[in-house]
Amino acid sequence: MRNNKYPFIVIGGGISGMTAAIYLKRAGYDVMILEREIPGGQINRTAEIDNYPGFLTIDGPSLAMNVYQQTQKLNIPMIFEDVLNINKEQEIKIMTKQNEYICDRLIIATGRTPRKLELRDEEKYIGHGISYCALCDGAFFKDKTVAVIGSGNSALEEALYLTKLCKKIIMINRSEKFKGSKILYEKLKASPKVHFLYQTHVVGILGNEEKITGIEVMQEEKKSILQLDGLFVYIGSIPNTSFLKNIDIHLDQGFIVTDQNMHTNIEGIYACGDCVKKEVYQLTTAVGDGATAATTAEKEL
């Protein structure tokens, strides 16, 4: 195990974390990013972004790569390790499976993970008909019938992307109306490929030894079977904060509580992006959080 010390460490290589690192590096400080998967985080699951200033439209992976290339141009190291634990005494220590890192100031930008249905056989069919990312897996369902579960922007955006590939998309919503963008909803309504089911709950998953074959739904107290080739799930997300269990950081339903300057309740530790408790979860707010966290941390070093 090696011991590496930096003035600043950012946990999370998503848009918010990379923004924070860019601001710190441009202010003249050494900073390192710890990321467990790939640069960009959840944005890599987004097929089309139309509301980010400066781009008429751009796909998530391209935007993520643009920001990552900025970090690399600034020679900001991104180390791909999963953080297991952190603690704070005189200094802040971050433990991964491979190493221990030390910093004076820590910015947490670990984002969120898609919430699962928690139904029997869901785990069994992940990658075999069940997906949480249309951009990642949509090509496997070309000219096939799929269902999309959810009512927010993620569900609407991903369903719109699937209209380019699939024969039929069934939108399943537990309530009477969709919570997401009216513009996206109207685009889906205009597509002859899209069918809507309201006040509908998924209560079971059907499949054979190889893949999903359908779902069981409950609508107006009546059960029915939908024959499907694929199921895309967008029912919210869970903050990636389980590694904070051994430090007394203030959480609200798993989300990190901060003030307007991205301070946590622990001196020297800041948080930004989708792992933070806030009202609006958008790319623009993630970038703003990252810039604020970095600026605040840099002033207080």
Side-chain angles (χ1 to χ4, degrees):
M1 178 180 290
R2 68 178 188 266
N3 200 351
N4 295 321
K5 181 170 181 179
Y6 294 82
F8 296 92
I9 289 178
V10 178
I11 303 177
I15 294 298
S16 192
M18 288 194 290
T19 298
I22 289 168
Y23 269 70
L24 288 167
K25 188 69 173 183
R26 287 179 59 84
Y29 293 96
D30 284 336
V31 57
M32 180 264 282
I33 302 172
L34 281 166
E35 166 59 40
R36 68 178 181 178
E37 293 180 346
I38 58 174
Q42 290 297 309
I43 192 177
N44 287 293
R45 301 174 180 269
T46 304
E48 192 170 309
I49 299 166
D50 293 329
N51 60 354
Y52 191 80
F55 296 95
L56 292 178
T57 185
I58 189 170
D59 62 88
S62 293
L63 182 57
M65 184 54 62
N66 287 350
V67 183
Y68 176 66
Q69 287 174 344
Q70 284 181 271
T71 70
Q72 297 309 287
K73 186 176 181 180
L74 291 168
N75 295 316
I76 299 171
M78 183 176 290
I79 297 174
F80 295 93
E81 296 178 12
D82 192 8
V83 174
L84 303 179
N85 189 23
I86 66 172
N87 63 54
K88 182 178 186 293
E89 295 174 356
Q90 293 296 103
E91 299 173 305
I92 301 166
K93 293 183 180 180
I94 302 108
M95 279 70 73
T96 72
K97 188 174 182 180
Q98 297 93 335
N99 296 295
E100 179 178 288
Y101 300 93
I102 296 174
C103 62
D104 300 307
R105 293 288 185 271
L106 173 66
I107 297 177
I108 302 169
T110 46
R112 302 182 289 176
T113 297
R115 188 182 299 276
K116 296 178 181 177
L117 293 166
E118 304 297 338
L119 292 174
R120 181 179 176 182
D121 288 337
E122 182 176 7
E123 293 286 339
K124 174 182 176 180
Y125 291 116
I126 294 174
H128 299 277
I130 295 181
S131 174
Y132 308 89
C133 175
L135 183 60
C136 311
D137 301 323
F140 296 116
F141 301 94
K142 185 174 176 61
D143 298 325
K144 296 184 182 296
T145 298
V146 302
V148 174
I149 304 176
S151 68
N153 279 338
S154 293
L156 299 177
E157 289 167 356
E158 301 299 85
L160 200 57
Y161 172 73
L162 289 170
T163 61
K164 302 173 185 178
L165 301 167
C166 301
K167 177 177 65 178
K168 181 178 180 181
I169 299 101
I170 304 169
M171 301 295 297
I172 299 176
N173 189 357
R174 294 170 63 97
S175 62
E176 294 180 348
K177 61 181 182 179
F178 285 84
K179 298 176 183 177
S181 162
K182 185 177 180 181
I183 293 174
L184 294 174
Y185 176 63
E186 293 299 331
K187 285 183 178 180
L188 286 172
K189 281 185 66 177
S191 172
K193 292 184 175 182
V194 182
H195 304 262
F196 294 87
L197 291 178
Y198 300 92
Q199 294 182 299
T200 302
H201 302 254
V202 179
V203 295
I205 297 168
L206 308 174
N208 54 35
E209 290 299 316
E210 297 180 355
K211 62 181 182 178
I212 187 175
T213 57
I215 54 175
E216 186 176 24
V217 299
M218 177 80 76
Q219 186 180 39
E220 297 179 354
E221 298 185 358
K222 294 181 180 179
K223 283 187 179 181
S224 60
I225 301 295
L226 298 178
Q227 302 295 326
L228 300 171
D229 300 295
L231 178 65
F232 291 85
V233 182
Y234 303 98
I235 56 171
S237 302
I238 301 169
N240 297 319
T241 56
S242 61
F243 66 95
L244 299 172
K245 57 186 177 296
N246 293 325
I247 192 168
D248 191 24
I249 198 164
H250 187 190
L251 302 176
D252 183 346
Q253 296 182 318
F255 290 91
I256 301 171
V257 177
T258 69
D259 65 12
Q260 63 181 3
N261 293 316
M262 315 317 294
H263 293 105
T264 70
N265 61 304
I266 299 177
E267 185 180 358
I269 300 180
Y270 312 82
C272 58
D274 283 7
C275 64
V276 169
K277 182 72 173 180
K278 56 182 180 177
E279 292 296 323
V280 180
Y281 294 92
Q282 291 288 315
L283 274 173
T284 46
T285 61
V287 169
D289 288 352
T292 300
T295 303
T296 302
E298 179 258 323
K299 287 180 178 178
E300 297 177 353
L301 182 64

